[in-house]
Amino acid sequence: MEERIIILGSNGQIGTELAAALREKFGHTQVITSDIRPPQIPEGYSLFEPVDVLDREALHGLFTKYRPTQVYLLAAMLSATGEKYPRQAWDLNINGLLNVLDLSLEHSVRKVFWPSSIAVFGPHSPKANTPQYTVMDPNTIYGISKLSGERICEYYFNRFGLDVRSIRYPGIISWKAAPGGGTTDYAIHIFHDALKNNMYNCFLSAETALPMLYMDDAIRATLDLMDAAPDKIRIRSSYNLTGVSFTPSMLAAEIRRFLPDFTISYADNDPRQAIADTWPNSIDDTEARNDWGWKPAFDLSRITEVMIGNLSEKIHIEDGKSI
Ligand code: SER
């Protein structure tokens, strides 16, 4: 069966690369990208429609026009920005999801992807190798909205038979499109500042360990989950998933293999520290491995190598353009 795919929130860090991967897999004409605003650098070949996921009428129009078989909902407000605008974060993350789930049922969409996050865990969740099922008491609005979203997704599967699939993404490290408003974003900023200034002032403390995933692994996991036979997907809330766990000081040491004079300092009292302190240090993703064959390919040393290689080229090209 021919797939028609809508990606909502396609301008963001994940959407940008997921759109490219889905176009590669299903063909350019089969993928419709959509975000609240057109992309800054429009891609000539892409089918793009500006839509606000909170505008149910506009979304309805989009679904009617393209009759999607798959929908990926990536529009969301992340953890740090969410703490600045809690009401808007809840509204976007929950009402956007409800709109998409309802319209997916109404339009007989075959599969829906919605990302959850390690932010669903909280101060009383076990920190090391956090299991799939455990205490979950998130205390950020982002984490609360993601945990609620997980319960809603599972409910729509059980109650209405909607084939919705989800991953609890850890911090995602990438170089193509900028991240926005996350607590794990230090692990991207550090590379930009290292290459531009040979120094970085980190908003998390030296020993704050967080689970992370390189973008290529995140995209592969997403496509594999969406490809899996429905009976392999035993978890309809969201799957634990991880690549590698490290601290800012471990990452700084890896960067020094390439930039020996790189220095790192640590900020006091950044509000993102309090968020990171409630999240897992590492994740147990046994269920994803057993159910649909998940296995990460990028460890810390490989992530560092590809980030430095790709970003130095990108910065070089951008500097060339600005001269
Ligand atoms: N990367 C996200 C954040 O830091 C976590 O899902 O908000």
Side-chain angles (χ1 to χ4, degrees):
M1 181 187 177
E2 198 176 62
E3 301 285 352
R4 283 178 308 281
I5 297 168
I6 291 182
I7 306 170
L8 300 159
S10 60
N11 290 351
Q13 185 198 5
I14 299 172
T16 304
E17 300 208 31
L18 188 63
L22 288 169
R23 283 193 200 106
E24 177 78 20
K25 187 170 163 125
F26 294 105
H28 285 192
T29 53
Q30 306 311 110
V31 179
I32 299 95
T33 51
S34 168
D35 208 301
I36 195 159
R37 275 172 225 98
Q40 282 189 331
I41 309 167
E43 290 171 292
Y45 50 77
S46 115
L47 289 163
F48 180 87
E49 301 272 356
V51 170
D52 178 352
V53 293
L54 293 176
D55 182 344
R56 204 183 156 107
E57 279 313 300
L59 262 188
H60 185 271
L62 186 73
F63 279 55
T64 308
K65 182 169 174 188
Y66 291 103
R67 293 174 294 110
T69 58
Q70 294 187 29
V71 174
Y72 294 72
L73 170 57
L74 301 174
M77 198 183 285
L78 295 194
S79 58
T81 314
E83 291 312 294
K84 290 188 191 141
Y85 311 104
R87 192 65 182 74
Q88 287 94 322
W90 175 262
D91 198 26
L92 175 60
N93 296 356
I94 290 297
N95 292 326
L97 173 61
L98 285 170
N99 282 344
V100 168
L101 295 178
D102 286 342
L103 286 168
S104 295
L105 277 178
E106 205 178 299
H107 291 257
S108 307
V109 173
R110 285 179 44 234
K111 288 185 232 177
V112 178
F113 178 80
W114 174 80
S116 185
S117 161
I118 54 165
V120 292
F121 298 108
H124 295 89
S125 309
K127 290 255 174 279
N129 283 323
T130 309
Q132 176 73 36
Y133 298 108
T134 185
V135 172
M136 297 168 95
D137 58 346
N139 60 8
T140 62
I141 195 68
Y142 176 65
I144 294 167
S145 70
K146 286 294 182 186
L147 182 54
S148 308
E150 287 190 7
R151 305 316 309 147
I152 295 168
C153 287
E154 191 187 271
Y155 182 79
Y156 270 67
F157 173 76
N158 286 333
R159 181 76 207 273
F160 307 118
L162 184 66
D163 187 348
V164 47
R165 305 175 180 204
S166 176
I167 288 172
R168 291 174 181 153
Y169 288 136
I172 295 183
I173 303 177
S174 68
W175 57 274
K176 284 187 188 155
T183 299
T184 55
D185 295 358
Y186 91 84
I188 297 176
H189 299 162
I190 192 171
F191 286 104
H192 288 261
D193 284 20
L195 287 164
K196 285 182 184 152
N197 310 319
N198 226 357
M199 58 171 74
Y200 178 61
N201 185 241
C202 186
F203 57 76
L204 297 184
S205 70
E207 303 311 327
T208 305
L210 288 169
M212 301 277 182
L213 188 63
Y214 187 60
M215 180 64 88
D216 293 20
D217 274 343
I219 298 294
R220 188 167 50 80
T222 308
L223 298 184
D224 285 355
L225 174 70
M226 292 300 275
D227 269 351
D231 62 341
K232 296 271 182 223
I233 315 293
R234 289 183 313 111
I235 294 173
R236 293 296 179 157
S237 49
S238 190
Y239 276 94
N240 270 14
L241 195 104
T242 192
V244 58
S245 280
F246 55 80
T247 63
S249 72
M250 287 163 71
L251 181 53
E254 278 297 318
I255 291 175
R256 267 185 223 111
R257 288 199 301 124
F258 298 87
L259 304 166
D261 298 329
F262 171 67
T263 57
I264 184 163
S265 53
Y266 298 95
D268 278 336
N269 288 327
D270 189 286
R272 288 165 285 192
Q273 183 68 48
I275 298 177
D277 286 342
T278 70
W279 287 359
N281 300 144
S282 57
I283 291 282
D284 177 354
D285 58 9
T286 307
E287 271 83 359
R289 289 172 186 259
N290 289 345
D291 289 1
W292 43 276
W294 163 244
K295 195 169 185 285
F298 287 79
D299 60 12
L300 177 56
S301 115
R302 193 154 167 226
I303 292 174
T304 309
E305 189 181 328
V306 292
M307 283 297 284
I308 299 237
N310 286 312
L311 261 184
S312 39
E313 202 171 311
K314 187 170 185 241
I315 290 169
H316 187 71
I317 292 168
E318 283 169 359
D319 284 353
K321 274 191 200 141
S322 64
I323 292 168

